[in-house]
């Protein structure tokens, strides 16, 4: 038989293939030959996995389940679980076979039947599953017990009220009391934690003290996956008093030294959760978990280091000086492209001792081929200057040197940072003014362009040709797409008008005319109209509002040549 994709999926061959399979499944000769019968069943599964619709064979495949061949039984159960939802009435016929297999002498068959029964995803069959499920939870085989609990999870997602219904059968007592005591007598099963944890997550209830004691005493015998899941489950546990909190912390303390990062992170999360209301010991807890976090930070796994840095950033928000002496570890981190890396550095109070090292490190990152990383490095230098006055001059010098590289995205981000620093370190950052004209020719990014315009508006009196720097931007205002640039241009031109009225009068008139008459962005239009009306009240009052009270008064040179196209607004204001 051809196995090419054309043979499988062409309409002419589909019916023929299914008919031939059905004929073979019903053939007495094939059924008598166990090997041949299994071969046909495997062919059905192969066609099913390739996307062919073999649902018409449902009745024949149910009959094929009545066998002692475990491989054939697995294949048939896989078929039944796949097509049960599309044949709910016929699926009912499989229940008797499955219930019978749940009582088989072989634990493999019992577990397989129970798992398949719970995977049918048919609410109408739940009543037939309860009894085998309860029997499976008490089975002597750990495989059957795990299958039973996984079945509880599957049925819970199908019918959420199912768990509540099982409580009347004392399911919780069976699972947590009788079974745990039985396991203690037989020797604890490390994999049994899977069913315990899943059922606790399933019930969505807070664990009781009795359950916590069982988990905590045997925590070390669980697999690493089980340990992390148990500790995650214990986040819902409410300790009875402070003494019990200390007992839990002492009990789990050695988990912080585990080589498995999932266990360590789960333990750290639990430590923080348990002590969230205990302000007096929070600092000690943070110091205790600092060591494991720094160990994870040295990992070669970038994803893991990223998660660790996210945790460290949260801890820094609670205790800023926690990682002061570990600053070198952050520089050696192999995660470059995350904002957590650079934001974590700005809170370290030892950085002003390492200017040369900082210069080399961040200059390397600013040159990085990754544009995002380069911008983050520039931003980090600005954040350090903002938080550490001792290093501000050094950082500003470094930022000014970046402008000489004439790289658009670096210059843009640098100017955004310098604009913010001008508000705090004006005497040092004002050294950027001589380079503003050159930067204006390089920068295209709206944020960088807005930063340049803001600087010109604030310090235009110190820039000889400041009006002529803004004029080309005003001339092409119609083609500007960024509302941020337009808003900044309006404000900067207004401020510059009060500093250099003769040069700016006609520029401002053209700008206001366009923004009031033709601008579609409402914020820009409204601000332009506001400035126009403000100027009509008088230049002195307008200057006080726009520039503040500490500015020199200017004569009234105002004579707008505005058109009357926006007739309604202008008529109401007496304009035109």
């Amino acid at each position: 038989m051809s196995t090419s994709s054309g043979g499988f999926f062409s309409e002419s061959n589909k019916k023929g293939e299914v008919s031939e399979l059905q004929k073979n499944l019903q053939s007495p000769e094939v059924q008598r030959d166990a090997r041949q019968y299994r071969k046909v069943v495997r062919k059905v599964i192969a066609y099913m996995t390739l996307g062919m619709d073999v649902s018409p064979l449902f009745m024949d495949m149910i009959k094929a389940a009545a066998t002692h061949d475990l491989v054939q039984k697995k294949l048939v159960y896989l078929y039944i679980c796949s097509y049960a939802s599309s044949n709910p009435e016929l699926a009912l016929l499989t229940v008797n076979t499955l219930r019978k297999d749940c009582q088989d002498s072989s634990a493999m068959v019992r577990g397989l039947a129970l798992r398949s029964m719970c995977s049918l995803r048919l609410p109408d069959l739940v009543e037939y599953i309860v009894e085998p499920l309860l029997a499976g939870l008490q089975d002597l085989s750990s495989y059957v017990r795990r299958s039973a609990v996984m079945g509880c999870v599957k049925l819970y997602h199908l019918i959420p009220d199912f768990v509540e219904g099982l409580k009347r059968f004392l399911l919780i007592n069976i699972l947590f009391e009788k079974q745990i005591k039985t396991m203690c007598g037989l020797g604890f099963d490390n994999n049994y934690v899977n069913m315990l944890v899943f059922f606790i997550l399933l019930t969505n209830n807070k664990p009781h003290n009795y359950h916590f004691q069982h988990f905590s005493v045997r925590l070390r015998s669980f697999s690493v996956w089980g340990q992390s899941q148990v500790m995650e489950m214990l986040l819902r546990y409410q300790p009875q008093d402070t003494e019990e909190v200390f007992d839990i912390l002492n009990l789990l303390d050695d988990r912080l030294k585990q080589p498995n990062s999932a266990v360590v992170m789960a333990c750290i999360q639990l430590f923080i959760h348990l002590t969230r209301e205990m302000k007096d010991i929070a600092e000690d807890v943070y110091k205790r978990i600092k060591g494991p976090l720094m160990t994870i930070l040295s990992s070669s796994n970038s994803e893991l280091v990223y998660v660790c840095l996210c945790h460290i950033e949260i801890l820094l928000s609670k205790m800023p000086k926690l990682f002061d002496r570990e600053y070198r570890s952050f520089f050696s981190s192999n995660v470059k492209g995350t904002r957590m890396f650079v934001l974590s550095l700005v809170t370290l109070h030892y950085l002003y001792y390492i200017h040369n090292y900082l210069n080399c490190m961040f200059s390397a990152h600013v040159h990085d081929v990754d544009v995002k990383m380069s911008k983050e490095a520039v931003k980090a230098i600005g954040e350090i200057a903002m938080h550490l006055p001792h290093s501000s001059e050094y950082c500003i010098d470094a930022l000014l040197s970046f402008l000489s590289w004439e790289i658009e995205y670096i210059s843009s981000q640098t100017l955004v940072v310098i604009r913010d620093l001008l508000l705090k370190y004006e005497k040092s950052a004002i050294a950027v003014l001589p380079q503003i004209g050159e930067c204006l020719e390089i920068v295209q990014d709206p944020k960088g362009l807005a930063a340049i315009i803001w600087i010109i508006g604030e310090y235009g009196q110190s820039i000889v040709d400041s009006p002529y720097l803004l004029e080309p931007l005003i001339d092409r205002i119609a083609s500007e797409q960024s509302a941020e640039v337009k808003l900044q241009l309006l404000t900067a031109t207004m401020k510059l008008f009060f500093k250099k009225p003769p040069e700016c009068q006609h520029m401002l008139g053209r700008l206001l005319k366009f923004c009031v008459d033709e601008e579609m962005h409402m914020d820009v239009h409204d601000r332009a109209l506001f400035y126009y009306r403000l100027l009509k009240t008088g230049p002195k009052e307008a200057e006080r509002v726009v520039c503040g009270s500490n500015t020199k008064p200017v004569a009234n040179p105002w004579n707008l040549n505005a058109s009357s196209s926006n007739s309604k607004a202008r008529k109401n204001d007496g304009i035109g």
Side-chain angles (χ1 to χ4, degrees), residues 143-361:
Y143 170 69
V144 178
R145 291 195 301 272
R146 290 196 300 274
S147 299
V149 174
M150 291 302 296
C152 290
V153 177
K154 293 176 182 177
L155 293 181
Y156 173 74
H157 289 295
L158 183 65
I159 305 178
D161 296 334
F162 177 69
V163 171
E164 296 298 325
L166 284 181
K167 285 182 180 179
R168 68 175 179 264
F169 294 104
L170 302 178
L171 175 60
I172 291 180
N173 289 335
I174 291 173
L175 184 61
F176 284 110
E177 295 178 14
K178 183 176 180 180
Q179 279 304 104
I180 287 180
K181 292 176 182 177
T182 302
M183 293 307 300
C184 289
L186 296 176
F188 193 76
D189 179 8
N190 291 339
N191 294 323
Y192 193 57
V193 68
N194 296 350
M195 59 184 297
L196 298 174
V197 173
F198 268 114
F199 190 77
I200 289 182
L201 296 176
L202 172 71
T203 57
N204 240 0
N205 295 326
K206 291 184 178 180
H208 299 293
N209 180 265
Y210 177 76
H211 304 145
F212 168 73
Q213 291 176 2
H214 281 292
F215 280 130
S216 59
V217 171
R218 298 168 179 83
L219 182 64
R220 291 162 184 77
S221 62
F222 296 162
S223 65
V224 291
W225 180 89
Q227 291 181 36
S228 61
Q229 291 297 311
V230 168
M231 284 188 279
E232 182 179 340
M233 175 270 296
L234 291 178
L235 291 172
R236 300 202 300 268
Y237 177 68
Q238 185 63 42
Q240 297 177 355
D241 49 34
T242 305
E243 185 177 350
E244 187 176 7
V245 172
F246 286 119
D247 290 341
I248 297 174
L249 295 179
N250 291 329
L251 185 66
L252 300 178
D253 184 70
D254 64 329
R255 298 298 92 187
L256 293 173
K257 301 176 183 178
Q258 280 290 305
N260 185 273
S261 57
V263 175
V264 175
M265 297 303 285
C267 189
I268 289 174
Q269 184 182 18
L270 186 58
F271 269 45
I272 296 175
H273 173 75
L274 292 174
T275 59
R276 65 190 184 284
E277 304 296 338
M278 305 169 68
K279 306 297 183 184
D280 52 332
I281 68 167
E283 184 174 343
D284 294 332
V285 171
Y286 294 159
K287 289 180 179 179
R288 178 66 188 90
I289 64 180
K290 179 175 69 172
L293 283 173
M294 298 310 297
T295 302
I296 295 176
L297 191 64
S298 62
S299 170
S300 59
N301 187 319
S302 299
E303 291 80 4
L304 182 59
V305 173
Y306 176 85
V307 173
C308 181
L309 287 170
C310 292
H311 283 71
I312 289 175
E313 187 188 24
I314 295 174
L315 291 177
L316 284 170
S317 66
K318 299 177 181 295
M319 191 177 175
K321 297 183 180 182
L322 182 60
F323 294 91
D324 279 359
R325 299 184 181 278
E326 287 77 20
Y327 64 84
R328 293 184 184 276
S329 298
F330 293 94
F331 285 118
S332 60
S333 169
N334 66 335
V335 176
K336 300 189 305 179
T338 170
R339 188 164 184 257
M340 309 307 168
F341 167 55
V342 291
L343 288 183
S344 298
L345 296 178
V346 303
T347 56
L348 305 178
H349 296 266
Y350 283 83
L351 286 179
Y352 56 87
Y353 292 125
I354 55 167
H355 288 172
N356 293 332
Y357 185 74
L358 179 67
N359 183 31
C360 296
M361 192 66 193

Side-chain angles (χ1 to χ4, degrees), residues 89-122:
E89 295 180 359
L90 294 178
L92 183 62
L93 301 176
T94 66
V95 172
N96 288 333
T97 302
L98 290 169
R99 285 170 63 96
K100 181 179 178 182
D101 284 347
C102 286
Q103 301 175 2
D104 196 272
S105 58
S106 170
M108 288 294 294
V109 174
R110 295 198 303 272
L112 178 64
L114 191 57
R115 184 178 67 184
S116 302
M117 188 183 296
C118 296
S119 300
L120 295 176
R121 301 183 184 88
L122 296 174

Side-chain angles (χ1 to χ4, degrees), residues 78 177 226 248 256 263 313 317 328 331 345 373 380 393 396 414 425 478 483 487 496 508 532 558 567:
L78 175 62
E177 295 178 14
I248 297 174
L256 293 173
V263 175
E313 187 188 24
S317 66
R328 293 184 184 276
F331 285 118
L345 296 178
M373 179 57 203
E393 291 187 13
I396 290 172
T414 301
Y425 306 108
L487 290 169
L496 201 56
L508 181 58
Y532 189 92
W558 183 253
S567 55

Side-chain angles (χ1 to χ4, degrees), residues 362-379:
F362 276 112
S363 293
H365 287 313
V366 171
H367 273 295
D368 199 279
V369 293
D370 185 350
V371 174
K372 182 179 178 182
M373 179 57 203
S374 178
K375 289 183 176 181
E376 291 290 354
V378 174
K379 193 182 300 183

Side-chain angles (χ1 to χ4, degrees), residues 539-559:
K540 235 179 182 181
E541 188 64 20
E543 182 184 11
R544 187 185 67 82
V545 172
V546 175
C547 300
S549 57
N550 298 324
T551 56
K552 295 179 180 180
V554 296
N556 183 1
W558 183 253
N559 184 17

